[in-house]
């Protein structure tokens, strides 16, 4: 695909357009790494999780490609302790390979990215675009920019629009809740029981695939605060903010239980957050439930 392809028509900021195109370009190479780099590396990432060789290959190629673009001022990654700083007015935060534990069973995996006007650690309100790639039955990419969400199929080096205006369906159908009922607090456990009676379970161990279900069918994806882990498992900078930006641009809501993930304060790029993404009505009911239990 030609580098000049602006995948987000109407984007005034060409640096952001080039960054988005770079993720589409890199998808083919990362998909290749998933097939060939299947062994575990001997290190752990800054969150103490074991790393696959594919995690490191994806991270290295994305850092190299993105910092080579004019205007990219920094690269932050879930796989790296600190931010790599360069000169530029746009800043990228990446989960290079979300769902690494799904590699062995060949289940959903993807890349998550956020494009900021401020160097991380920074809050989600400073996002100017966000997206995710799914290396699934086919390679797809979802990009949010200027309150508009588009979905592309990436094939033979081209990105073809398959949905020019992705929006969360009004009637919710699916749910996916992580962390385990035995670890949920009473507020979430009660709400989960109510939803599990109405909705269908869609939980696959990689949030990009589970949130894609919510964007397609409507519903709720949650990885809540846990009794033993009050800030939950998922990373605010690399997962919560970009996916929250996308779901909110698609007409849904994000929450840490009290507020939008885009408003949640952040001190370190590896801070974790409780995470809820889905239909506005479901998120508002969940926040009311948390308030009632306080
Ligand atoms: P991995 O990348 O380590 O597989 O974790 C994926 C993830 O960060 C997110 O994509 C999933 O929604 C969540 O963790 C799954 O966590 P559990 O394995 O605890 O269900």
């Amino acid at each position: 695909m030609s580098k000049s392809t602006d995948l987000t028509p109407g984007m005034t900021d060409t640096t952001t357009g080039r960054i988005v195109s770079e993720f589409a370009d890199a998808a083919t190479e990362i998909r290749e790494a998933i097939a060939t780099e299947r062994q575990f590396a001997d290190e752990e990432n800054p969150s103490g999780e074991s790393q696959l060789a594919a995690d490191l290959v994806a991270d290295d190629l994305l850092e190299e490609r993105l910092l080579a673009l004019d205007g990219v001022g920094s690269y932050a990654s879930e796989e790296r302790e600190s931010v790599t700083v360069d000169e530029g007015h746009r800043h990228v935060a990446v989960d290079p390979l979300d769902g690494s534990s799904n590699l062995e069973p060949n289940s959903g995996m993807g890349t998550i990215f956020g494009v900021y006007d401020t160097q991380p650690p920074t809050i989600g309100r400073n996002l100017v675009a966000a997206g995710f790639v799914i290396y699934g039955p086919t390679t797809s990419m979802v990009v949010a920019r200027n309150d508009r969400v588009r979905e592309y199929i990436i094939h033979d080096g081209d990105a073809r629009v398959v949905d020019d205006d992705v929006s969360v369906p009004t009637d919710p159908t699916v749910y996916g809740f992580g962390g385990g009922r035995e670890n949920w607090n009473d507020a979430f456990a009660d709400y989960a029981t109510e939803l599990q009676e109405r909705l269908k379970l869609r939980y696959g161990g990689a949030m990009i695939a589970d949130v894609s279900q919510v964007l397609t069918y409507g519903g709720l994806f949650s990885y809540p605060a846990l009794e033993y882990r009050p800030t939950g498992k998922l990373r605010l900078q690399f997962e919560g903010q970009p996916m929250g930006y996308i779901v909110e641009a698609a007409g849904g809501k994000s929450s840490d239980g009290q507020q939008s993930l885009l408003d949640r304060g952040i001190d370190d790029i590896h801070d974790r957050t409780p995470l809820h993404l889905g239909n506005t009505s479901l998120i508002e009911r969940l926040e009311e439930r948390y308030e009632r239990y306080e």
Side-chain angles (χ1 to χ4, degrees), residues 13-258:
D13 175 341
T14 50
T15 302
T16 304
R18 283 202 305 275
I19 291 168
V20 170
S21 299
E22 202 61 45
F23 279 98
D25 264 354
T28 308
E29 215 175 325
I30 293 175
R31 192 173 185 112
E32 182 62 27
I34 292 170
T36 54
E37 305 290 336
R38 301 174 61 78
Q39 69 283 12
F40 277 94
D42 355 349
E43 303 118 57
E44 287 186 340
N45 70 14
S47 300
E49 293 149 346
S50 53
Q51 288 177 312
L52 286 170
D55 283 317
L56 301 178
V57 168
D59 185 39
D60 289 344
L61 77 88
L62 286 172
E63 186 200 43
E64 185 184 345
R65 280 171 167 256
L66 291 162
L67 290 180
L69 296 176
D70 285 342
V72 175
S74 70
Y75 175 86
S77 162
E78 188 180 286
E79 304 303 334
R80 292 168 190 257
E81 192 58 49
S82 56
V83 181
T84 309
V85 181
D86 199 337
E87 291 292 317
H89 66 299
R90 285 290 177 259
H91 304 270
V92 189
V94 187
D95 179 356
L97 216 43
D98 176 58
S100 307
S101 53
N102 277 350
L103 187 142
E104 207 163 338
N106 193 29
S107 298
M109 298 176 74
T111 296
I112 306 173
F113 63 90
V115 185
Y116 295 82
D117 62 12
T118 312
Q119 182 178 313
T122 187
I123 64 164
R125 293 293 172 202
N126 294 329
L127 278 160
V128 296
F132 63 87
V133 178
I134 299 182
Y135 311 104
T138 184
T139 305
S140 63
M141 181 161 82
V142 169
V143 178
R145 166 74 177 154
N146 291 334
D147 292 327
R148 179 104 179 209
V149 184
R150 291 182 175 87
E151 182 184 17
Y152 306 82
I153 295 297
I154 297 170
H155 183 62
D156 269 352
D158 264 329
R160 179 170 46 87
V161 178
V162 290
D163 189 340
D164 193 41
D165 189 9
V166 176
S167 57
V168 179
T170 311
D171 298 328
T173 307
V174 298
Y175 74 89
F177 300 153
R181 174 173 286 273
E182 68 283 3
N183 301 310
W184 298 338
N185 62 28
D186 292 346
F188 187 77
D190 285 359
Y191 190 55
T193 303
E194 191 185 309
L195 288 189
Q196 285 168 324
E197 285 160 7
R198 285 172 43 203
L199 305 179
K200 289 193 294 186
L201 172 61
R202 288 294 181 272
Y203 189 82
M207 78 176 294
I208 37 91
D210 295 335
V211 174
S212 182
Q213 291 267 357
V214 169
L215 289 170
T216 306
Y217 299 115
L220 180 67
F221 173 81
S222 290
Y223 208 109
L226 306 177
E227 297 293 357
Y228 72 96
R229 211 176 201 179
T231 55
K233 172 186 180 184
L234 303 183
R235 274 64 46 149
L236 177 57
Q237 192 81 68
F238 302 113
E239 294 165 306
Q241 290 178 7
M243 298 305 279
Y245 183 88
I246 293 164
V247 171
E248 294 191 7
K253 266 183 91 103
S254 77
S255 179
D256 63 3
Q258 281 75 38

